[in-house]
Amino acid sequence: MRHNKKFNHLSRKVGHRRALLKNMTNSLIEHKRIETTLTKAKALRQYIEPLVTKAKEDSLHNRRVVFSYIQNKHAVTELFNTIGPKVADRPGGYTRVIKLGNRLGDGAEMAMIELVDFNEIYNPNEAKPKKTTRRRKKKTTAPVPEQVVEKVEETDSIPEQVMDKVEEPKKKEKSTDCDSALIPLL
C-alpha cells in the first residue's frame, strides 16, 4: 500500500530526481520563469516553496539549509537578496503554474512555472515607477524691461549677405510621362 507517499517520483530514481529538481530550482531562481512539463512543474512547486519560505528570514543557518538543497551560491544569494525580501509579506504560494497546451513531439502537457511577485502582467497592485512626461512649461507673461526690447529690435535685422545664401527649397516637378514608369518585362 502507498500510504503517505504523496510526491511524484517522475519515473526517476532518487539521485536523478534530486538533481533534476535542483537544476530546475536554479533555473527558476535565475530566470524567474521556466517552461517544463506539467508534472515537473508541480513537483518543482513542492520543492521550491519551502526554500523560498526559508529565504524570507536571512540568517546563516537558513542560507546553509537552502544551499544544501540547491548547491549554487549565486542562486542562494539571488534567493536571499532579491526574492526573499520581495515575498516577505506573502504567506505562501510563491509560484504560479500556467498550462500551455501539449508539446508537438510527444503530446506531453506543457506548463510555465514562475515566481508570482516577479510577473508584471499579473501584479497590478505593485507600485509602478512614475512616468515622467516632458512638457513645456507655460510661459508667464512677465513685464519685459525696455532696455531688453531695444536691444532685440537692434539685432532683429538680418544682414543681406546671409539672406542671399539662404534659398528656398526647390519643389520636385512630377512628370506626367507614363512611358518612363513602364519597364518592359522580358
Side-chain angles (χ1 to χ4, degrees), residues 127-135:
K128 295 178 182 175
K130 190 174 182 180
K131 293 183 179 178
T132 59
T133 58
R134 296 183 61 164
R135 294 185 184 141

Side-chain angles (χ1 to χ4, degrees), residues 37-93:
T37 61
L38 182 63
T39 54
K40 287 180 188 174
K42 288 180 179 179
L44 178 63
R45 181 175 53 190
Q46 289 179 340
Y47 189 82
I48 199 170
E49 295 271 340
L51 302 180
V52 177
T53 302
K54 290 227 182 270
K56 288 163 70 170
E57 181 185 343
D58 191 5
S59 66
L60 182 63
H61 176 68
N62 285 346
R63 282 182 180 262
R64 287 181 174 171
V65 169
V66 170
F67 184 78
S68 71
Y69 280 92
I70 59 179
Q71 297 171 353
N72 184 348
K73 64 180 181 180
H74 301 295
V76 171
T77 55
E78 176 79 12
L79 184 64
F80 278 87
N81 292 344
T82 60
I83 297 172
K86 197 160 185 177
V87 299
D89 58 339
R90 184 178 289 276

